[in-house]
Amino acid sequence: MSLLIRNATVVTAEETKAADVLVEGEVIKEVRPGIPLNAAQTGIDATGMYILPGGIDCHTHLDMPFGGTTSADDFETGTRAAAFGGTTSIVDFAIQGRGTRMRDALDTWWKKAEGKACVDYGLHMIVTDLGGCGLEDMDELVDEGVASFKLFMAYPNVLMVDDATIFKALARTAKNGALICMHAENGSVIDVIVARALAEGKTAPVYHALTRPTRAEAEAVHRAIAMAEIAGAPVYIVHLSSEDALNQVREARDRGVPAFAETCPQYLLLSIEELERPNFEGAKYVFTPPLRTKDNLPKLWDGLKHDHLQVVSTDHCPFCFEDQKILGKDDFTKIPNGGPGIENRLQLLHHHGVNAGKLSLNRFVEITSTAPARIFGMYPKKGEIAPGSDADLVIWDPHTLYRISAETHHMRVDYSMFEGFEVKGNARTVISRGEVIVDDGQWLGRAGRGKYLKRTARGGAWK
Ligand code: URP
Ligand code: ZN
Ligand code: ZN
């Protein structure tokens, strides 16, 4: 099957140019102006549209047990919602149970995705315990295409690991070429502050944010980078939320240290006031790290523009308000941590980044697709529009108006963090490995068509 997308403006991280894109089977065959359409090809007219490489969301939590419940989107509903928003690859997180082998967790997460994933998916492994053979397990996982591991400096007694574990894991990646992703917050300090707040009867959602100071994030970012330097490995900070933390990354990068970081739309667009919404609605904005004061937002945008931050992911981890967030009605520490966003990343960044003049179109493509592909070992198969790359393409209408709402979104969650946001620009047609899966708001894909992405070690963070 052959597709010819004609008359478009092709936008990559490098350039913007008028060209046609010829797709044969699952891959891109040719990119140039004036490719003739023949009778065997399906033609798509993209006049006035951009063609972007499919979005890559390298931080999602589908079907994840967490906080006494399970995230509301599974691999089917979550990846379908991703596709509607122009995301054609995700990297989700498998979780090693303490005292168990990482291989078991990988098998469990493969089963979760099997028959369900609508777009291609990779997996990071959350390491909770290096135990007897954890370091060998890491090598085995790298061979299976799990080229990155997440470690937590927060959530004591749940996911947090000590500095020795972090350092050993970092040192192992210096040999096997994987990448350590850090949830950087000082969990021990935060736990003391949280206990103090609860003892004072402070149980409302806003105390989730007030008990997690930016210094606790910055300190952990600093420590993570220092340990990575000693180990001789790069490090990637996930869901960075504050100027304080960003300063640590920038300072390290200025010294030539291979430190990388992502932020998320919620940290770019929302602030701590959301947690003060009445009727417990602040719980909709309880995730970790928390929303910060408004003065942080322009600093994060600036960080993206100047490459102090390299990626925007979503940290999509949806819990329904009515029957999941409510678990913390009388105690903010029992509110499942996480928010939905897998569908809206490109819309929000295009509107608030490109349309607002904060990001160039090419930088928009870079931070949503090309950089995650490079850093996480998927490039140039993903994140590029060039002969030989997978035909993961988004025909993007930069002029269409769209109103984000839980009434119309495709995520299986009963609220939107961005309810009522009006954006200009949206995915019109979404192509995954040569197959049109979304067209004009219609779902044409199918559950189970998404393939596991076997990622390579020594990706962009090592160059
Ligand atoms: O609150 C969050 N971010 N939930 C998902 C788990 C994590 O730490 O990424
Ligand atoms: Zn995290
Ligand atoms: Zn996360």
Side-chain angles (χ1 to χ4, degrees), residues 59 150 152 155 183 238-239 288 315:
H59 189 148
K150 182 177 178 186
F152 283 77
Y155 301 123
H183 179 128
V238 295
H239 48 44
T288 310
D315 194 9

Side-chain angles (χ1 to χ4, degrees), residues 107-419:
D107 288 341
T108 301
W109 257 261
W110 273 342
K111 282 204 191 84
K112 285 175 189 271
E114 198 181 304
K116 290 198 165 186
C118 300
V119 301
D120 294 350
Y121 69 97
L123 290 169
H124 314 275
M125 179 63 61
I126 291 176
V127 177
T128 57
D129 176 10
L130 282 179
C133 36
L135 295 173
E136 292 79 9
D137 280 9
M138 285 177 73
D139 295 346
E140 184 191 338
L141 262 75
V142 170
D143 291 340
E144 293 286 7
V146 179
S148 44
F149 299 85
K150 182 177 178 186
L151 281 83
F152 283 77
M153 302 168 97
Y155 301 123
N157 305 316
V158 185
L159 296 168
M160 186 168 132
V161 289
D162 61 13
D163 287 355
T165 302
I166 293 168
F167 182 67
K168 282 182 201 164
L170 281 162
R172 195 65 171 204
T173 65
K175 296 201 175 97
N176 66 25
L179 179 63
I180 297 293
C181 305
M182 292 299 314
H183 179 128
E185 287 184 297
N186 187 320
S188 306
V189 168
I190 287 169
D191 252 24
V192 174
I193 303 172
V194 165
R196 208 191 285 157
L198 289 177
E200 290 167 4
K202 294 170 174 166
T203 58
V206 71
Y207 290 105
H208 172 74
L210 295 175
T211 54
R212 306 184 90 92
T214 60
R215 291 306 289 158
E217 185 182 20
E219 183 281 326
V221 169
H222 181 89
R223 189 160 30 107
I225 293 173
M227 286 189 279
E229 281 184 77
I230 300 167
V235 65
Y236 179 93
I237 309 296
V238 295
H239 48 44
L240 187 142
S241 69
S242 65
E243 179 191 10
D244 222 354
L246 176 61
N247 286 342
Q248 302 297 325
V249 177
R250 192 187 49 228
E251 183 274 334
R253 289 178 63 82
D254 284 351
R255 287 190 293 115
V257 172
F260 300 82
E262 64 177 23
T263 189
C264 311
Q266 52 271 34
Y267 301 120
L268 291 162
L269 297 168
L270 304 175
S271 58
I272 188 168
E273 289 78 20
E274 305 292 354
L275 284 100
E276 285 168 344
R277 287 181 182 233
N279 304 320
F280 191 60
E281 294 219 10
K284 294 177 176 175
Y285 302 88
V286 168
F287 39 78
T288 310
L291 290 176
R292 306 299 190 179
T293 51
K294 277 206 173 78
D295 49 309
N296 287 277
L297 279 53
K299 307 291 180 187
L300 296 179
W301 281 109
D302 217 46
L304 280 173
K305 187 171 175 180
H306 295 107
D307 202 35
H308 309 312
L309 294 166
Q310 291 70 45
V311 170
V312 176
S313 67
T314 61
D315 194 9
H316 177 76
C317 188
F319 296 105
C320 289
F321 180 65
E322 290 296 338
D323 60 346
Q324 295 185 294
K325 290 285 186 180
I326 208 76
L327 293 170
K329 186 95 183 81
D330 303 315
D331 175 350
F332 70 89
T333 65
K334 299 198 166 57
I335 301 168
N337 283 202
I342 203 167
E343 188 166 350
N344 306 123
R345 186 177 59 123
L346 268 58
Q347 297 155 355
L348 290 166
L349 283 178
H350 177 264
H351 185 79
H352 291 279
V354 178
N355 294 349
K358 293 189 182 111
L359 299 173
S360 72
L361 254 182
N362 309 96
R363 184 66 179 153
F364 162 66
V365 167
E366 187 166 25
I367 62 182
T368 56
S369 179
T370 311
R374 285 187 199 276
I375 290 172
F376 289 104
M378 295 176 268
Y379 187 85
K381 181 180 161 73
K382 304 292 187 189
E384 187 55 280
I385 302 180
S389 291
D390 277 2
D392 288 0
L393 300 164
V394 179
I395 302 181
W396 186 264
D397 182 344
H399 303 296
T400 190
L401 299 177
Y402 182 71
R403 184 175 174 279
I404 296 173
S405 173
E407 281 165 27
T408 48
H409 73 200
H410 302 85
M411 300 177 283
R412 192 164 62 186
V413 61
D414 59 0
Y415 74 96
S416 170
M417 292 199 287
F418 305 101
E419 184 68 40

